[in-house]
Amino acid sequence: MIKFKCRPALHTKMVIEYCDSKGISVPDHYQHIRFLADDDKINYYTVNNILHDMEVLDNNPYFFFELEHVFRERLIPFTIKILDFNKSAALNLLDFTHYYSSISDLAWSSIVTATSVTLVAARGSEQRASKYDDLFIYFCMIEIFKPLLNNPDDMLICLPYGRDFYSKYINVFEQVKFNHGCFSVTINKDEGDKDSGECLAVANINELDRVGAAANSIPSHSLSLFTLAQLMNVAPRSLQRELKLLDSKPQNIIDNVKVNYIISRLGINKGNIKLTAYECGFTDMPTFSRFFTRTTGLSPKAYVKARMMIS
């Protein structure tokens, strides 16, 4: 069975966009992520790693505070589209929990009682990943759900660790409880709320999605069966066998990721084929042309002319 924890690329892209706006240099191994779609899956831990790296490079005690404007512009629209404003804040929290649990490998669950709905995010020992995840969820709760409340006291947020764990970000939090053991958000139901037991209908992450997420996490010029298997912590032959059972091959996934990156670069380069081939790690044009033609069914020149309206 294929196991690889993943989440949408959006969260990492937001951090990259923040760094761009501040003139902070983003390490090369993150650069390719900016060209992915927001809902493309990548390694679950990438956003935590880049946040840690950027915080160290930025040397700014208010690093996470300054990310807030990027969250408002990018994360909130991504999330708010799943809300139903005919529902109460409590029932929307139930949908929110279900939605994010289905697009990310989050250890989330819901507790529904006659009077409230609670999002519970399991936590283990103190880790930097937990710090950033807690800040993310807290920000979403305040930005998305607090305005939906009839009474501000209808929401209670509990943090898993003590004040020292959140150190310089402690002033972000208002009216929370610390040392709770897990992250939880409880919202009181409105009068007349009835939980039908039905949540927002979304598809779960399948095994092919997980392999694709691993491939998306590796820079295109470094992507191969070996690097893909290495990231997934499996032997190359084991990965081939697992994908064969799913009627797929590693090379198909690798080629798909690479050609999508090429297409993104072609758009940015306004159809400049030679520049794009060079940026994508190809050392000669015939090899690039053969790969592109085999993967898309069109030569690079024909693709640019047909799809990009460039004569």
Side-chain angles (χ1 to χ4, degrees), residues 48-208:
N48 303 115
N49 293 335
I50 191 174
L51 278 167
H52 175 72
D53 292 349
M54 294 302 98
E55 186 175 14
V56 171
L57 288 172
D58 197 20
N59 195 28
N60 179 355
Y62 304 105
F63 175 79
F64 204 91
F65 293 102
E66 294 189 1
L67 273 170
E68 286 191 9
H69 77 278
V70 183
F71 291 173
R72 289 191 181 93
E73 293 170 4
R74 301 287 275 110
L75 181 62
I76 302 307
F78 180 82
T79 303
I80 207 169
K81 66 187 179 185
I82 63 103
L83 300 185
D84 181 350
F85 292 100
N86 293 315
K87 292 183 178 180
S88 68
L91 296 186
N92 269 305
L93 179 63
L94 194 60
D95 276 348
F96 175 87
T97 306
H98 178 66
Y99 175 68
Y100 262 91
S101 296
S102 68
I103 63 171
S104 301
D105 285 306
L106 301 166
W108 286 11
S109 59
S110 295
I111 299 174
V112 182
T113 71
T115 59
S116 67
V117 172
T118 301
L119 180 164
V120 179
R123 293 287 183 265
S125 58
E126 294 183 4
Q127 299 175 6
R128 71 175 189 234
S130 301
K131 176 178 69 176
Y132 296 125
D133 284 339
D134 292 348
L135 287 164
F136 268 120
I137 307 172
Y138 177 84
F139 180 81
C140 282
M141 295 302 107
I142 296 302
E143 288 292 313
I144 296 173
F145 289 95
K146 194 171 183 179
L148 300 179
L149 300 174
N150 294 323
N151 183 335
D153 293 334
D154 282 339
M155 181 166 67
L156 173 64
I157 299 177
C158 297
L159 299 172
Y161 311 118
R163 292 175 177 271
D164 290 346
F165 177 72
Y166 302 100
S167 59
K168 60 191 174 186
Y169 301 120
I170 193 67
N171 291 331
V172 169
F173 304 115
E174 297 179 4
Q175 296 181 307
V176 301
K177 292 185 176 181
F178 293 92
N179 282 315
H180 190 64
C182 63
F183 190 110
S184 69
V185 183
T186 299
I187 298 181
N188 293 334
K189 288 182 176 180
D190 291 349
E191 286 186 22
D193 265 355
K194 292 183 179 180
D195 173 31
S196 65
E198 294 181 359
C199 291
L200 187 72
V202 288
N204 291 322
I205 305 170
N206 62 44
E207 290 182 290
L208 286 178

Side-chain angles (χ1 to χ4, degrees), residues 182-248:
C182 63
F183 190 110
S184 69
V185 183
T186 299
I187 298 181
N188 293 334
K189 288 182 176 180
D190 291 349
E191 286 186 22
D193 265 355
K194 292 183 179 180
D195 173 31
S196 65
E198 294 181 359
C199 291
L200 187 72
V202 288
N204 291 322
I205 305 170
N206 62 44
E207 290 182 290
L208 286 178
D209 289 338
R210 296 184 187 283
V211 181
N216 282 333
S217 305
I218 301 171
S220 178
H221 62 272
S222 301
L223 182 56
S224 67
L225 172 60
F226 176 78
T227 57
L228 181 59
Q230 185 179 47
L231 179 60
M232 298 183 70
N233 198 29
V234 297
R237 287 191 177 183
S238 295
L239 180 57
Q240 287 175 315
R241 284 195 298 269
E242 291 287 348
L243 285 173
K244 186 176 182 180
L245 295 174
L246 298 172
D247 197 27
S248 186

